[in-house]
Amino acid sequence: AGRRTIDLFAMLYLCCHREYFKTYRSKLKFGDLEDSEAQTIYMALENAMRDNIKTEELFLSLFTDERIRNDVSTALALDEYRKAKIDVLDEAVDRISLRAMEKRRDILSNQLKLYSMSLSPDEISAMLERKMEIDKEILQLKKELSSRQMSSSEE
């Protein structure tokens, strides 16, 4: 097995708690996942939700890749995923979202540097506005993550 990414952890957790997927898919976009195995699992979770698949056997049958099916099957049997608290998933999803936002911000910053001479003032101000919105969201998410760490270290 390769190294386990935060993306893969979150998806394996959701495999064990598929009832949460509908809620989390609004926070966690397919495009925010960088791990291809996690992306495959996300699609299977989408299909399972759409087709109302309840049993683990049917869910596992959605995976054509044997390695991924084995990883999911193993996760379904492990307490690490079965008994993990929801706040662990919340933190993983927030970290994935934060990474995606930072990436979008960096792309915007680079576009502004590269194209500032050829853009109209309106386009530049629209891009700067978008960048400021992303910066605000990043700051908010970082605050939530650090306050969550503070409260969990006090337990």
Side-chain angles (χ1 to χ4, degrees):
R3 88 184 173 80
R4 200 178 48 181
T5 63
I6 193 164
D7 299 19
L8 188 56
F9 169 81
M11 291 302 101
L12 289 173
Y13 183 95
L14 283 169
C15 286
C16 294
H17 305 278
R18 292 194 300 280
E19 68 277 11
Y20 296 140
F21 183 67
K22 193 178 230 131
T23 307
Y24 279 90
R25 71 193 271 262
S26 62
K27 299 178 191 179
L28 187 62
K29 304 284 177 255
F30 177 82
D32 293 346
L33 298 171
E34 294 178 355
D35 180 302
S36 62
E37 186 172 342
Q39 291 173 337
T40 301
I41 295 170
Y42 188 100
M43 293 311 297
L45 285 163
E46 277 283 340
N47 292 334
M49 184 183 71
R50 187 189 59 233
D51 299 338
N52 202 21
I53 291 174
K54 298 288 185 217
T55 69
E56 289 182 358
E57 293 76 36
L58 273 175
F59 180 65
L60 287 169
S61 74
L62 296 173
F63 298 98
T64 52
D65 182 307
E66 197 172 325
R67 185 177 58 87
I68 297 176
R69 188 180 326 115
N70 286 337
D71 287 350
V72 171
S73 179
T74 302
L76 290 170
L78 286 175
D79 282 353
E80 176 189 355
Y81 294 103
R82 285 201 123 5
K83 292 194 165 100
K85 295 189 182 97
I86 195 78
D87 58 338
V88 175
L89 178 62
D90 285 337
E91 181 172 342
V93 168
D94 284 349
R95 290 190 180 285
I96 293 167
S97 299
L98 182 62
R99 180 187 66 202
M101 279 189 254
E102 288 174 337
K103 198 182 259 183
R104 283 196 295 276
R105 180 192 57 198
D106 294 345
I107 290 169
L108 258 174
S109 296
N110 288 333
Q111 286 175 335
L112 275 164
K113 282 183 201 133
L114 289 171
Y115 304 116
S116 60
M117 293 308 201
S118 60
L119 294 172
S120 73
D122 286 347
E123 290 170 319
I124 290 175
S125 97
M127 286 175 86
L128 284 171
E129 225 170 276
R130 256 202 336 265
K131 186 183 172 301
M132 286 175 6
E133 283 170 25
I134 293 172
D135 284 337
K136 212 163 76 179
E137 289 174 25
I138 288 172
L139 196 63
Q140 181 61 40
L141 203 46
K142 282 183 173 175
K143 275 185 198 158
E144 287 172 26
L145 280 166
S146 70
S147 73
R148 197 177 297 140
Q149 283 174 331
M150 298 291 250
S151 65
S152 69
S153 65
E154 289 167 10
E155 286 173 8

